Amino acid sequence: MTGSLGVALEELDLPSADLGVHTGLAGFGDAWLTGRSEGRLRYAEEGGFLFVSAVVPPSVRYAEAVRALYAELFALTKRVGYPTICRLWHYIGRINGTTADGLETYRDFCVGRALAFEEVGATMPAASAVGSAHEGVSVCLLATRAGALTAIENPLQVPAYRYPGQHGPKSPSFSRATYLRQDAGGTLFLSGTASILGHETAHPGDLAGQLATTFGNVEAVVHERNLARHGVDAGFGLADFDRVTAYVRHADDLAAVEASCRAAFGAGTAVRLLRADLCRSDLLVEVEGVIT
Ligand code: 3EB
C-alpha cells in the first residue's frame, strides 16, 4: 500500500538474518555493512557506532530468554569497545498476545529486560517496542565508542521505569530520549512516543486525539526547557527532526497519520510509516525519530 505522498506502508516483519542492515533503523542512512557475528549476535561498526541485532526465538514465554540476551548484549558492547548504548528497538511477535503463564507478551518481555538492567545498572537508553509479524523477539541496538550520553524524560509523562504495577509486574526500562554529545555535534534519539499522559493512555479509540497528544509529547521532550533541566544545552522543535517513523496499528489510518505527520514535522523531515501492533492494545500510533 502506498500513501498519498509515496510513503510505502510496510508490514513490519523483519527477517532475522538481515535485521538492522535491512531496516536502516539507526537514522544514519541504510548503509550498514553486514559485519561479524558472535554466537547469535550480529554486529557492524561504522563511523564510531556499533549496531547489533539478535533474535530470541519464538517461545511460550520470554522473560528469562530476554534477560539472558540483554546480558549478552551488554557484554558485547563492552568487549568490542562501544560501552554507551544510545538506542534500542524491539520487534515483538504477538506483542498483545498471552504467554503460557497468562501474562501479555509485552509485559513478559519487560520483566526480562528489567531484570537485565537491574543486574548492570545501565543508563536507560531510548527505545521502541512494537509488534512484528515475525515470531519471537527481535532486538536491535545502537551504541557508541565516545561521547556523553544523557537520558531525557518527559515532564508530561511518568518515567516508564516508574510506571505503576497496573501496567505489568516490571516497568519498561527506557528513557523518553537520549542526547549524545560528541566532538562532531549532538544527536537526539527520540524513543517511541505515544498518547500517554502521566502513565495512562489518553484518547483511547480517538486517532486525532492520540496524534495531537503524541506530537505534544514529542515537543515537550525535545524543547530547550526540558533539555536544560537535564543539563543539555540544546533545544529543538518538530521541524528539526531529520527522520521519523510512525508505527500505525490500523492500516486504514495510514492516510490520516501520514497527513498529520507531514503537517506537524514539515517538509524537511523524512517520514516512514509502518503497520505494526503497539505495546498497549489501546494505542493507535507511536512516533520515533532522530535529530542530528
Ligand atoms: C510508552 O510510552 C509507549 O518498552 O521499550 C514506547 C517506547 C513504548 C518504548 C519500550 C514502549 C517502549 O509506554 C510504549
Side-chain angles (χ1 to χ4, degrees), residues 70 87-90 92 106 109-110 113 125-130 157-158 160 163 172-176 191-196 199 278-280 283 286:
Y70 257 89
R87 185 68 170 90
L88 281 150
W89 292 263
H90 310 93
I92 302 173
Y106 170 69
F109 155 81
C110 284
R113 177 174 56 171
S128 301
V130 299
Q157 297 183 308
V158 173
Y163 280 171
S173 316
F174 69 98
S175 60
R176 301 302 177 180
S191 290
T193 304
S195 181
I196 294 173
H199 60 82
L278 303 171
C279 67
R280 289 185 186 185
L283 290 176
E286 183 175 311

PDB file of all heavy atoms in Angstrom, residues 70 87-90 92 106 109-110 113 125-130 157-158 160 163 172-176 191-196 199 278-280 283 286, ligand 1:
ATOM      1  N   TYR A  70      19.891  -9.783  26.834  1.00  0.00           N
ATOM      2  CA  TYR A  70      20.377  -8.463  27.260  1.00  0.00           C
ATOM      3  C   TYR A  70      21.746  -8.564  27.922  1.00  0.00           C
ATOM      4  O   TYR A  70      22.619  -7.719  27.702  1.00  0.00           O
ATOM      5  CB  TYR A  70      19.379  -7.803  28.206  1.00  0.00           C
ATOM      6  CG  TYR A  70      18.563  -6.746  27.523  1.00  0.00           C
ATOM      7  CD1 TYR A  70      17.377  -7.063  26.898  1.00  0.00           C
ATOM      8  CD2 TYR A  70      19.020  -5.444  27.466  1.00  0.00           C
ATOM      9  CE1 TYR A  70      16.650  -6.100  26.249  1.00  0.00           C
ATOM     10  CE2 TYR A  70      18.295  -4.474  26.811  1.00  0.00           C
ATOM     11  CZ  TYR A  70      17.099  -4.810  26.209  1.00  0.00           C
ATOM     12  OH  TYR A  70      16.381  -3.851  25.553  1.00  0.00           O
ATOM     13  N   ARG A  87      20.442   3.589  21.938  1.00  0.00           N
ATOM     14  CA  ARG A  87      19.115   3.352  21.357  1.00  0.00           C
ATOM     15  C   ARG A  87      18.875   1.855  21.208  1.00  0.00           C
ATOM     16  O   ARG A  87      19.782   1.116  20.839  1.00  0.00           O
ATOM     17  CB  ARG A  87      19.119   4.012  19.964  1.00  0.00           C
ATOM     18  CG  ARG A  87      17.806   4.010  19.208  1.00  0.00           C
ATOM     19  CD  ARG A  87      16.803   4.908  19.884  1.00  0.00           C
ATOM     20  NE  ARG A  87      15.601   5.153  19.107  1.00  0.00           N
ATOM     21  CZ  ARG A  87      14.498   4.409  19.159  1.00  0.00           C
ATOM     22  NH1 ARG A  87      14.452   3.314  19.876  1.00  0.00           N
ATOM     23  NH2 ARG A  87      13.424   4.766  18.467  1.00  0.00           N
ATOM     24  N   LEU A  88      17.656   1.436  21.506  1.00  0.00           N
ATOM     25  CA  LEU A  88      17.255   0.040  21.294  1.00  0.00           C
ATOM     26  C   LEU A  88      15.925   0.006  20.560  1.00  0.00           C
ATOM     27  O   LEU A  88      15.067   0.870  20.773  1.00  0.00           O
ATOM     28  CB  LEU A  88      17.095  -0.668  22.646  1.00  0.00           C
ATOM     29  CG  LEU A  88      18.409  -1.104  23.295  1.00  0.00           C
ATOM     30  CD1 LEU A  88      18.292  -1.108  24.800  1.00  0.00           C
ATOM     31  CD2 LEU A  88      18.813  -2.484  22.788  1.00  0.00           C
ATOM     32  N   TRP A  89      15.769  -0.980  19.701  1.00  0.00           N
ATOM     33  CA  TRP A  89      14.488  -1.231  19.029  1.00  0.00           C
ATOM     34  C   TRP A  89      14.108  -2.678  19.319  1.00  0.00           C
ATOM     35  O   TRP A  89      14.958  -3.570  19.256  1.00  0.00           O
ATOM     36  CB  TRP A  89      14.615  -1.075  17.516  1.00  0.00           C
ATOM     37  CG  TRP A  89      14.868   0.306  17.023  1.00  0.00           C
ATOM     38  CD1 TRP A  89      13.941   1.187  16.549  1.00  0.00           C
ATOM     39  CD2 TRP A  89      16.134   0.972  16.892  1.00  0.00           C
ATOM     40  NE1 TRP A  89      14.547   2.355  16.148  1.00  0.00           N
ATOM     41  CE2 TRP A  89      15.885   2.256  16.347  1.00  0.00           C
ATOM     42  CE3 TRP A  89      17.470   0.624  17.188  1.00  0.00           C
ATOM     43  CZ2 TRP A  89      16.908   3.178  16.097  1.00  0.00           C
ATOM     44  CZ3 TRP A  89      18.479   1.524  16.940  1.00  0.00           C
ATOM     45  CH2 TRP A  89      18.192   2.797  16.404  1.00  0.00           C
ATOM     46  N   HIS A  90      12.821  -2.876  19.632  1.00  0.00           N
ATOM     47  CA  HIS A  90      12.340  -4.240  19.900  1.00  0.00           C
ATOM     48  C   HIS A  90      11.149  -4.530  19.017  1.00  0.00           C
ATOM     49  O   HIS A  90      10.216  -3.716  18.955  1.00  0.00           O
ATOM     50  CB  HIS A  90      11.915  -4.388  21.370  1.00  0.00           C
ATOM     51  CG  HIS A  90      12.951  -3.904  22.338  1.00  0.00           C
ATOM     52  ND1 HIS A  90      12.953  -2.620  22.833  1.00  0.00           N
ATOM     53  CD2 HIS A  90      14.020  -4.519  22.870  1.00  0.00           C
ATOM     54  CE1 HIS A  90      13.985  -2.472  23.638  1.00  0.00           C
ATOM     55  NE2 HIS A  90      14.656  -3.596  23.688  1.00  0.00           N
ATOM     56  N   ILE A  92       8.347  -7.388  18.517  1.00  0.00           N
ATOM     57  CA  ILE A  92       7.861  -8.481  19.346  1.00  0.00           C
ATOM     58  C   ILE A  92       6.668  -9.159  18.675  1.00  0.00           C
ATOM     59  O   ILE A  92       5.626  -8.530  18.456  1.00  0.00           O
ATOM     60  CB  ILE A  92       7.465  -7.935  20.744  1.00  0.00           C
ATOM     61  CG1 ILE A  92       8.685  -7.242  21.389  1.00  0.00           C
ATOM     62  CG2 ILE A  92       6.922  -9.049  21.626  1.00  0.00           C
ATOM     63  CD1 ILE A  92       8.377  -6.522  22.698  1.00  0.00           C
ATOM     64  N   TYR A 106       4.177  -8.487  25.816  1.00  0.00           N
ATOM     65  CA  TYR A 106       4.982  -7.283  26.052  1.00  0.00           C
ATOM     66  C   TYR A 106       5.376  -7.157  27.522  1.00  0.00           C
ATOM     67  O   TYR A 106       6.512  -6.811  27.850  1.00  0.00           O
ATOM     68  CB  TYR A 106       4.213  -6.034  25.609  1.00  0.00           C
ATOM     69  CG  TYR A 106       4.886  -4.751  26.047  1.00  0.00           C
ATOM     70  CD1 TYR A 106       6.104  -4.351  25.486  1.00  0.00           C
ATOM     71  CD2 TYR A 106       4.326  -3.942  27.032  1.00  0.00           C
ATOM     72  CE1 TYR A 106       6.729  -3.191  25.893  1.00  0.00           C
ATOM     73  CE2 TYR A 106       4.945  -2.769  27.440  1.00  0.00           C
ATOM     74  CZ  TYR A 106       6.146  -2.399  26.870  1.00  0.00           C
ATOM     75  OH  TYR A 106       6.775  -1.247  27.282  1.00  0.00           O
ATOM     76  N   PHE A 109       8.100  -9.614  28.296  1.00  0.00           N
ATOM     77  CA  PHE A 109       9.346  -9.061  27.764  1.00  0.00           C
ATOM     78  C   PHE A 109       9.914  -8.018  28.730  1.00  0.00           C
ATOM     79  O   PHE A 109      11.117  -8.013  29.024  1.00  0.00           O
ATOM     80  CB  PHE A 109       9.082  -8.452  26.378  1.00  0.00           C
ATOM     81  CG  PHE A 109      10.036  -7.382  25.984  1.00  0.00           C
ATOM     82  CD1 PHE A 109      11.279  -7.702  25.462  1.00  0.00           C
ATOM     83  CD2 PHE A 109       9.707  -6.038  26.154  1.00  0.00           C
ATOM     84  CE1 PHE A 109      12.180  -6.705  25.122  1.00  0.00           C
ATOM     85  CE2 PHE A 109      10.594  -5.040  25.810  1.00  0.00           C
ATOM     86  CZ  PHE A 109      11.839  -5.372  25.300  1.00  0.00           C
ATOM     87  N   CYS A 110       9.043  -7.140  29.243  1.00  0.00           N
ATOM     88  CA  CYS A 110       9.503  -6.085  30.166  1.00  0.00           C
ATOM     89  C   CYS A 110      10.121  -6.668  31.437  1.00  0.00           C
ATOM     90  O   CYS A 110      11.068  -6.092  31.993  1.00  0.00           O
ATOM     91  CB  CYS A 110       8.340  -5.162  30.542  1.00  0.00           C
ATOM     92  SG  CYS A 110       7.895  -3.993  29.240  1.00  0.00           S
ATOM     93  N   ARG A 113      13.730  -7.746  30.521  1.00  0.00           N
ATOM     94  CA  ARG A 113      14.562  -6.560  30.278  1.00  0.00           C
ATOM     95  C   ARG A 113      14.875  -5.853  31.592  1.00  0.00           C
ATOM     96  O   ARG A 113      16.022  -5.447  31.834  1.00  0.00           O
ATOM     97  CB  ARG A 113      13.839  -5.619  29.315  1.00  0.00           C
ATOM     98  CG  ARG A 113      14.598  -4.336  29.078  1.00  0.00           C
ATOM     99  CD  ARG A 113      13.956  -3.475  28.022  1.00  0.00           C
ATOM    100  NE  ARG A 113      12.564  -3.131  28.291  1.00  0.00           N
ATOM    101  CZ  ARG A 113      11.861  -2.261  27.595  1.00  0.00           C
ATOM    102  NH1 ARG A 113      12.420  -1.639  26.561  1.00  0.00           N
ATOM    103  NH2 ARG A 113      10.604  -1.996  27.896  1.00  0.00           N
ATOM    104  N   PRO A 125      18.399   3.571  27.992  1.00  0.00           N
ATOM    105  CA  PRO A 125      18.527   4.121  26.643  1.00  0.00           C
ATOM    106  C   PRO A 125      17.166   4.537  26.092  1.00  0.00           C
ATOM    107  O   PRO A 125      16.130   4.223  26.684  1.00  0.00           O
ATOM    108  CB  PRO A 125      19.088   2.938  25.838  1.00  0.00           C
ATOM    109  CG  PRO A 125      18.639   1.730  26.576  1.00  0.00           C
ATOM    110  CD  PRO A 125      18.443   2.113  28.015  1.00  0.00           C
ATOM    111  N   ALA A 126      17.193   5.250  24.993  1.00  0.00           N
ATOM    112  CA  ALA A 126      15.959   5.463  24.230  1.00  0.00           C
ATOM    113  C   ALA A 126      15.570   4.131  23.611  1.00  0.00           C
ATOM    114  O   ALA A 126      16.436   3.306  23.294  1.00  0.00           O
ATOM    115  CB  ALA A 126      16.193   6.511  23.143  1.00  0.00           C
ATOM    116  N   ALA A 127      14.272   3.893  23.434  1.00  0.00           N
ATOM    117  CA  ALA A 127      13.838   2.603  22.900  1.00  0.00           C
ATOM    118  C   ALA A 127      12.503   2.719  22.189  1.00  0.00           C
ATOM    119  O   ALA A 127      11.755   3.698  22.370  1.00  0.00           O
ATOM    120  CB  ALA A 127      13.730   1.570  24.020  1.00  0.00           C
ATOM    121  N   SER A 128      12.229   1.709  21.403  1.00  0.00           N
ATOM    122  CA  SER A 128      10.894   1.487  20.849  1.00  0.00           C
ATOM    123  C   SER A 128      10.581   0.023  21.048  1.00  0.00           C
ATOM    124  O   SER A 128      11.491  -0.814  21.037  1.00  0.00           O
ATOM    125  CB  SER A 128      10.853   1.795  19.348  1.00  0.00           C
ATOM    126  OG  SER A 128      11.229   3.125  19.111  1.00  0.00           O
ATOM    127  N   ALA A 129       9.323  -0.302  21.246  1.00  0.00           N
ATOM    128  CA  ALA A 129       8.895  -1.696  21.357  1.00  0.00           C
ATOM    129  C   ALA A 129       7.555  -1.809  20.650  1.00  0.00           C
ATOM    130  O   ALA A 129       6.570  -1.235  21.109  1.00  0.00           O
ATOM    131  CB  ALA A 129       8.778  -2.119  22.821  1.00  0.00           C
ATOM    132  N   VAL A 130       7.557  -2.487  19.528  1.00  0.00           N
ATOM    133  CA  VAL A 130       6.329  -2.603  18.733  1.00  0.00           C
ATOM    134  C   VAL A 130       6.154  -4.051  18.291  1.00  0.00           C
ATOM    135  O   VAL A 130       7.060  -4.872  18.427  1.00  0.00           O
ATOM    136  CB  VAL A 130       6.370  -1.661  17.494  1.00  0.00           C
ATOM    137  CG1 VAL A 130       6.491  -0.216  17.926  1.00  0.00           C
ATOM    138  CG2 VAL A 130       7.490  -2.048  16.546  1.00  0.00           C
ATOM    139  N   GLN A 157       4.946  13.009  31.246  1.00  0.00           N
ATOM    140  CA  GLN A 157       4.777  11.567  31.431  1.00  0.00           C
ATOM    141  C   GLN A 157       5.563  11.086  32.651  1.00  0.00           C
ATOM    142  O   GLN A 157       6.658  11.581  32.929  1.00  0.00           O
ATOM    143  CB  GLN A 157       5.290  10.800  30.200  1.00  0.00           C
ATOM    144  CG  GLN A 157       4.527  11.099  28.920  1.00  0.00           C
ATOM    145  CD  GLN A 157       5.025  10.259  27.752  1.00  0.00           C
ATOM    146  OE1 GLN A 157       6.224  10.217  27.473  1.00  0.00           O
ATOM    147  NE2 GLN A 157       4.110   9.573  27.084  1.00  0.00           N
ATOM    148  N   VAL A 158       4.996  10.110  33.332  1.00  0.00           N
ATOM    149  CA  VAL A 158       5.752   9.407  34.370  1.00  0.00           C
ATOM    150  C   VAL A 158       6.896   8.666  33.665  1.00  0.00           C
ATOM    151  O   VAL A 158       6.671   8.075  32.609  1.00  0.00           O
ATOM    152  CB  VAL A 158       4.831   8.389  35.087  1.00  0.00           C
ATOM    153  CG1 VAL A 158       5.618   7.516  36.046  1.00  0.00           C
ATOM    154  CG2 VAL A 158       3.699   9.115  35.804  1.00  0.00           C
ATOM    155  N   ALA A 160       8.953   5.854  32.288  1.00  0.00           N
ATOM    156  CA  ALA A 160       8.425   4.499  32.033  1.00  0.00           C
ATOM    157  C   ALA A 160       8.905   3.521  33.101  1.00  0.00           C
ATOM    158  O   ALA A 160       8.155   2.622  33.506  1.00  0.00           O
ATOM    159  CB  ALA A 160       8.851   4.036  30.639  1.00  0.00           C
ATOM    160  N   TYR A 163       6.465   3.410  35.918  1.00  0.00           N
ATOM    161  CA  TYR A 163       5.046   3.109  35.718  1.00  0.00           C
ATOM    162  C   TYR A 163       4.559   2.245  36.874  1.00  0.00           C
ATOM    163  O   TYR A 163       5.257   1.329  37.307  1.00  0.00           O
ATOM    164  CB  TYR A 163       4.841   2.299  34.426  1.00  0.00           C
ATOM    165  CG  TYR A 163       4.846   3.068  33.124  1.00  0.00           C
ATOM    166  CD1 TYR A 163       4.848   2.374  31.917  1.00  0.00           C
ATOM    167  CD2 TYR A 163       4.825   4.459  33.073  1.00  0.00           C
ATOM    168  CE1 TYR A 163       4.836   3.040  30.698  1.00  0.00           C
ATOM    169  CE2 TYR A 163       4.821   5.128  31.851  1.00  0.00           C
ATOM    170  CZ  TYR A 163       4.825   4.416  30.672  1.00  0.00           C
ATOM    171  OH  TYR A 163       4.823   5.068  29.470  1.00  0.00           O
ATOM    172  N   PRO A 172       8.712  -0.784  32.171  1.00  0.00           N
ATOM    173  CA  PRO A 172       9.560  -0.780  30.965  1.00  0.00           C
ATOM    174  C   PRO A 172      10.866  -0.003  31.216  1.00  0.00           C
ATOM    175  O   PRO A 172      10.840   1.071  31.816  1.00  0.00           O
ATOM    176  CB  PRO A 172       8.702  -0.059  29.921  1.00  0.00           C
ATOM    177  CG  PRO A 172       7.313  -0.029  30.472  1.00  0.00           C
ATOM    178  CD  PRO A 172       7.455  -0.044  31.971  1.00  0.00           C
ATOM    179  N   SER A 173      11.978  -0.554  30.747  1.00  0.00           N
ATOM    180  CA  SER A 173      13.299   0.042  31.009  1.00  0.00           C
ATOM    181  C   SER A 173      13.741   0.888  29.821  1.00  0.00           C
ATOM    182  O   SER A 173      14.480   0.427  28.950  1.00  0.00           O
ATOM    183  CB  SER A 173      14.325  -1.071  31.255  1.00  0.00           C
ATOM    184  OG  SER A 173      13.805  -2.066  32.100  1.00  0.00           O
ATOM    185  N   PHE A 174      13.278   2.128  29.775  1.00  0.00           N
ATOM    186  CA  PHE A 174      13.772   3.034  28.729  1.00  0.00           C
ATOM    187  C   PHE A 174      13.531   4.474  29.167  1.00  0.00           C
ATOM    188  O   PHE A 174      12.739   4.743  30.069  1.00  0.00           O
ATOM    189  CB  PHE A 174      13.101   2.756  27.374  1.00  0.00           C
ATOM    190  CG  PHE A 174      11.633   3.105  27.291  1.00  0.00           C
ATOM    191  CD1 PHE A 174      11.215   4.308  26.721  1.00  0.00           C
ATOM    192  CD2 PHE A 174      10.666   2.236  27.770  1.00  0.00           C
ATOM    193  CE1 PHE A 174       9.860   4.634  26.635  1.00  0.00           C
ATOM    194  CE2 PHE A 174       9.308   2.556  27.687  1.00  0.00           C
ATOM    195  CZ  PHE A 174       8.907   3.747  27.124  1.00  0.00           C
ATOM    196  N   SER A 175      14.252   5.388  28.533  1.00  0.00           N
ATOM    197  CA  SER A 175      14.028   6.810  28.744  1.00  0.00           C
ATOM    198  C   SER A 175      13.277   7.351  27.529  1.00  0.00           C
ATOM    199  O   SER A 175      13.161   6.678  26.506  1.00  0.00           O
ATOM    200  CB  SER A 175      15.359   7.535  28.924  1.00  0.00           C
ATOM    201  OG  SER A 175      16.154   7.362  27.767  1.00  0.00           O
ATOM    202  N   ARG A 176      12.764   8.576  27.632  1.00  0.00           N
ATOM    203  CA  ARG A 176      11.960   9.124  26.529  1.00  0.00           C
ATOM    204  C   ARG A 176      12.808   9.539  25.342  1.00  0.00           C
ATOM    205  O   ARG A 176      12.323   9.647  24.217  1.00  0.00           O
ATOM    206  CB  ARG A 176      11.147  10.317  27.032  1.00  0.00           C
ATOM    207  CG  ARG A 176      10.208   9.966  28.166  1.00  0.00           C
ATOM    208  CD  ARG A 176       9.236   8.874  27.788  1.00  0.00           C
ATOM    209  NE  ARG A 176       8.367   8.472  28.893  1.00  0.00           N
ATOM    210  CZ  ARG A 176       7.437   7.521  28.793  1.00  0.00           C
ATOM    211  NH1 ARG A 176       7.281   6.868  27.656  1.00  0.00           N
ATOM    212  NH2 ARG A 176       6.697   7.215  29.826  1.00  0.00           N
ATOM    213  N   SER A 191      12.667   8.209  21.631  1.00  0.00           N
ATOM    214  CA  SER A 191      12.041   6.897  21.800  1.00  0.00           C
ATOM    215  C   SER A 191      10.680   6.860  21.107  1.00  0.00           C
ATOM    216  O   SER A 191      10.103   7.905  20.782  1.00  0.00           O
ATOM    217  CB  SER A 191      11.818   6.618  23.286  1.00  0.00           C
ATOM    218  OG  SER A 191      13.023   6.408  23.960  1.00  0.00           O
ATOM    219  N   GLY A 192      10.174   5.684  20.931  1.00  0.00           N
ATOM    220  CA  GLY A 192       8.792   5.545  20.511  1.00  0.00           C
ATOM    221  C   GLY A 192       7.921   6.345  21.468  1.00  0.00           C
ATOM    222  O   GLY A 192       8.015   6.174  22.682  1.00  0.00           O
ATOM    223  N   THR A 193       7.117   7.253  20.928  1.00  0.00           N
ATOM    224  CA  THR A 193       6.332   8.188  21.742  1.00  0.00           C
ATOM    225  C   THR A 193       4.864   8.042  21.359  1.00  0.00           C
ATOM    226  O   THR A 193       4.534   8.029  20.169  1.00  0.00           O
ATOM    227  CB  THR A 193       6.804   9.637  21.481  1.00  0.00           C
ATOM    228  OG1 THR A 193       8.208   9.703  21.732  1.00  0.00           O
ATOM    229  CG2 THR A 193       6.066  10.616  22.371  1.00  0.00           C
ATOM    230  N   ALA A 194       4.017   7.912  22.359  1.00  0.00           N
ATOM    231  CA  ALA A 194       2.609   7.637  22.087  1.00  0.00           C
ATOM    232  C   ALA A 194       1.730   8.558  22.912  1.00  0.00           C
ATOM    233  O   ALA A 194       2.197   9.460  23.617  1.00  0.00           O
ATOM    234  CB  ALA A 194       2.305   6.171  22.378  1.00  0.00           C
ATOM    235  N   SER A 195       0.443   8.328  22.822  1.00  0.00           N
ATOM    236  CA  SER A 195      -0.549   9.168  23.502  1.00  0.00           C
ATOM    237  C   SER A 195      -0.718   8.705  24.941  1.00  0.00           C
ATOM    238  O   SER A 195      -1.745   8.149  25.320  1.00  0.00           O
ATOM    239  CB  SER A 195      -1.883   9.101  22.754  1.00  0.00           C
ATOM    240  OG  SER A 195      -2.843   9.907  23.382  1.00  0.00           O
ATOM    241  N   ILE A 196       0.326   8.951  25.733  1.00  0.00           N
ATOM    242  CA  ILE A 196       0.295   8.626  27.157  1.00  0.00           C
ATOM    243  C   ILE A 196       0.572   9.904  27.927  1.00  0.00           C
ATOM    244  O   ILE A 196       1.542  10.612  27.639  1.00  0.00           O
ATOM    245  CB  ILE A 196       1.327   7.529  27.490  1.00  0.00           C
ATOM    246  CG1 ILE A 196       0.933   6.211  26.797  1.00  0.00           C
ATOM    247  CG2 ILE A 196       1.432   7.332  29.004  1.00  0.00           C
ATOM    248  CD1 ILE A 196       1.952   5.110  26.917  1.00  0.00           C
ATOM    249  N   HIS A 199       0.819   8.182  33.310  1.00  0.00           N
ATOM    250  CA  HIS A 199       1.125   6.811  32.880  1.00  0.00           C
ATOM    251  C   HIS A 199      -0.047   6.193  32.137  1.00  0.00           C
ATOM    252  O   HIS A 199      -0.030   5.013  31.807  1.00  0.00           O
ATOM    253  CB  HIS A 199       1.513   5.945  34.086  1.00  0.00           C
ATOM    254  CG  HIS A 199       0.423   5.844  35.123  1.00  0.00           C
ATOM    255  ND1 HIS A 199      -0.613   4.962  34.998  1.00  0.00           N
ATOM    256  CD2 HIS A 199       0.208   6.543  36.263  1.00  0.00           C
ATOM    257  CE1 HIS A 199      -1.431   5.109  36.037  1.00  0.00           C
ATOM    258  NE2 HIS A 199      -0.950   6.072  36.828  1.00  0.00           N
ATOM    259  N   LEU A 278       1.047  -2.281  18.673  1.00  0.00           N
ATOM    260  CA  LEU A 278       1.774  -1.462  19.650  1.00  0.00           C
ATOM    261  C   LEU A 278       1.642  -2.099  21.027  1.00  0.00           C
ATOM    262  O   LEU A 278       0.816  -2.986  21.245  1.00  0.00           O
ATOM    263  CB  LEU A 278       1.218  -0.037  19.626  1.00  0.00           C
ATOM    264  CG  LEU A 278       1.290   0.608  18.229  1.00  0.00           C
ATOM    265  CD1 LEU A 278       0.543   1.926  18.189  1.00  0.00           C
ATOM    266  CD2 LEU A 278       2.733   0.798  17.791  1.00  0.00           C
ATOM    267  N   CYS A 279       2.451  -1.621  21.973  1.00  0.00           N
ATOM    268  CA  CYS A 279       2.610  -2.377  23.213  1.00  0.00           C
ATOM    269  C   CYS A 279       1.417  -2.274  24.160  1.00  0.00           C
ATOM    270  O   CYS A 279       1.299  -3.053  25.086  1.00  0.00           O
ATOM    271  CB  CYS A 279       3.894  -1.981  23.914  1.00  0.00           C
ATOM    272  SG  CYS A 279       3.839  -0.316  24.513  1.00  0.00           S
ATOM    273  N   ARG A 280       0.535  -1.305  23.952  1.00  0.00           N
ATOM    274  CA  ARG A 280      -0.734  -1.286  24.695  1.00  0.00           C
ATOM    275  C   ARG A 280      -1.835  -1.427  23.656  1.00  0.00           C
ATOM    276  O   ARG A 280      -1.825  -0.706  22.646  1.00  0.00           O
ATOM    277  CB  ARG A 280      -0.938   0.038  25.430  1.00  0.00           C
ATOM    278  CG  ARG A 280      -0.017   0.234  26.607  1.00  0.00           C
ATOM    279  CD  ARG A 280      -0.391   1.526  27.335  1.00  0.00           C
ATOM    280  NE  ARG A 280       0.569   1.820  28.384  1.00  0.00           N
ATOM    281  CZ  ARG A 280       0.447   2.817  29.239  1.00  0.00           C
ATOM    282  NH1 ARG A 280      -0.614   3.633  29.164  1.00  0.00           N
ATOM    283  NH2 ARG A 280       1.347   3.021  30.161  1.00  0.00           N
ATOM    284  N   LEU A 283      -3.388   1.750  22.158  1.00  0.00           N
ATOM    285  CA  LEU A 283      -2.610   2.740  21.401  1.00  0.00           C
ATOM    286  C   LEU A 283      -2.781   2.511  19.907  1.00  0.00           C
ATOM    287  O   LEU A 283      -2.707   1.377  19.426  1.00  0.00           O
ATOM    288  CB  LEU A 283      -1.122   2.657  21.770  1.00  0.00           C
ATOM    289  CG  LEU A 283      -0.761   3.130  23.180  1.00  0.00           C
ATOM    290  CD1 LEU A 283       0.725   2.906  23.444  1.00  0.00           C
ATOM    291  CD2 LEU A 283      -1.133   4.599  23.388  1.00  0.00           C
ATOM    292  N   GLU A 286       2.381   5.393  17.220  1.00  0.00           N
ATOM    293  CA  GLU A 286       3.593   5.677  18.005  1.00  0.00           C
ATOM    294  C   GLU A 286       4.623   6.257  17.040  1.00  0.00           C
ATOM    295  O   GLU A 286       4.759   5.771  15.921  1.00  0.00           O
ATOM    296  CB  GLU A 286       4.092   4.362  18.634  1.00  0.00           C
ATOM    297  CG  GLU A 286       5.305   4.513  19.527  1.00  0.00           C
ATOM    298  CD  GLU A 286       5.670   3.198  20.226  1.00  0.00           C
ATOM    299  OE1 GLU A 286       4.763   2.555  20.805  1.00  0.00           O
ATOM    300  OE2 GLU A 286       6.844   2.817  20.165  1.00  0.00           O
TER     301      GLU A 286
HETATM  302  C1  3EB B   1       5.016   4.092  26.315  1.00  0.00           C
HETATM  303  O1  3EB B   1       5.351   5.274  26.325  1.00  0.00           O
HETATM  304  C2  3EB B   1       4.609   3.547  24.973  1.00  0.00           C
HETATM  305  O2  3EB B   1       9.010  -0.771  26.134  1.00  0.00           O
HETATM  306  O3  3EB B   1      10.769  -0.115  25.037  1.00  0.00           O
HETATM  307  C3  3EB B   1       7.373   3.284  23.782  1.00  0.00           C
HETATM  308  C4  3EB B   1       8.751   3.201  23.608  1.00  0.00           C
HETATM  309  C5  3EB B   1       6.724   2.280  24.459  1.00  0.00           C
HETATM  310  C6  3EB B   1       9.473   2.120  24.111  1.00  0.00           C
HETATM  311  C7  3EB B   1       9.574   0.006  25.358  1.00  0.00           C
HETATM  312  C8  3EB B   1       7.444   1.209  24.978  1.00  0.00           C
HETATM  313  C9  3EB B   1       8.803   1.129  24.804  1.00  0.00           C
HETATM  314  O4  3EB B   1       4.973   3.372  27.314  1.00  0.00           O
HETATM  315  C10 3EB B   1       5.259   2.288  24.639  1.00  0.00           C
END
